[in-house]
Amino acid sequence: MKLTRLMRMAFAVARSNSVATQVEVREPMKRERMRIMNGILTLIIVGLLIAPIASLKAAGAAKPAPGATGESVMAAEEELTRALRDNDADGIARCLSDDWAVISARGGVGQGKSIFPDGIKSGFLKHTAYEVSEPRVRLYGNVALVTTKLHNAGTFGGKPYDVLERQTDVWLWKDGGWKCVLTHEAWEGAEKDQKELSR
């Protein structure tokens, strides 16, 4: 069957109208898809920006793993540091074993977990600074050694002191928690360079 020239033109016109209609119909659909894609992209970007903040909050609220771990002993060390810095006698006592001992930078030995708490309660000892840095943790089963650099200042027997020390706390994991059993202090530098008047 031969198509006449007129029929071919009519077909061409009809086809071009159909294409134009399809283009007109596709353009709004294309715009709608673009709007949806832009919305999805915006949600993804916002999610990527919020995720790190949420992770940091979750990490800050996370508790250390249970048991004798490096994380759990550092949490115990931070609790003791906070109690000493805040002159919290009861908080200090909670962190120490009953037979706790301290070796001073001059070699003196003090024994019993009430030494610091009693000194704070009586006003004999008061910390005005207790800043810990450079923690080093070594774990040996249920025993941990935590060595830190310490800036310790305050009054002792009514006399001011301001010293830099290296301090090692020996921790024992017992009955599901850490207790400090020994604290050993050493000068950071020479004794003559410390601003300690009495101790």
Side-chain angles (χ1 to χ4, degrees):
M1 176 176 191
K2 291 184 178 178
L3 293 175
T4 63
R5 188 174 177 177
L6 186 58
M7 287 177 75
R8 274 190 243 147
M9 277 181 48
F11 234 13
V13 168
R15 197 180 315 141
S16 70
N17 283 342
S18 173
V19 170
T21 303
Q22 286 177 0
V23 169
E24 288 171 15
V25 170
R26 285 186 185 162
E27 281 302 317
M29 287 174 58
K30 209 177 201 183
R31 278 190 222 116
E32 181 65 17
R33 280 192 202 135
M34 286 302 292
R35 191 180 66 74
I36 291 170
M37 291 302 290
N38 284 338
I40 291 170
L41 185 60
T42 301
L43 287 173
I44 290 170
I45 291 170
V46 168
L48 290 173
L49 292 173
I50 292 174
I53 296 168
S55 295
L56 288 174
K57 281 188 174 183
K63 302 228 180 214
T69 66
E71 288 176 335
S72 65
V73 76
M74 275 310 299
E77 180 75 24
E78 288 167 8
E79 182 181 345
L80 178 57
T81 297
R82 191 170 34 256
L84 286 161
R85 182 177 46 241
D86 295 345
N87 296 291
D88 176 4
D90 294 333
I92 296 167
R94 279 192 300 274
C95 295
L96 306 178
S97 69
D98 291 337
D99 60 348
W100 176 80
V102 59
I103 312 293
S104 76
R106 287 194 176 129
V109 179
Q111 293 183 345
K113 74 187 235 176
S114 65
I115 294 171
F116 282 177
D118 288 350
I120 288 171
K121 286 178 184 176
S122 70
F124 191 81
L125 172 64
K126 181 178 181 185
H127 295 112
T128 56
Y130 202 88
E131 301 159 7
V132 172
S133 62
E134 301 178 25
R136 175 186 180 271
V137 178
R138 294 295 181 266
L139 195 60
Y140 303 98
N142 66 341
V143 174
L145 307 177
V146 180
T147 302
T148 57
K149 185 175 182 177
L150 171 65
H151 172 220
N152 185 0
T155 56
F156 187 81
K159 295 183 180 179
Y161 70 93
D162 190 343
V163 296
L164 294 176
E165 299 173 337
R166 288 286 175 173
Q167 179 174 283
T168 299
D169 287 326
V170 180
W171 293 87
L172 177 65
W173 178 264
K174 187 176 178 184
D175 299 327
W178 289 105
K179 293 290 183 183
C180 186
V181 296
L182 175 71
T183 297
H184 188 273
E185 302 168 341
W187 301 122
E188 174 80 8
E191 181 179 357
K192 67 181 179 56
D193 296 331
Q194 307 302 319
K195 297 174 187 165
E196 182 177 36
L197 303 178
S198 172
R199 191 146 182 199

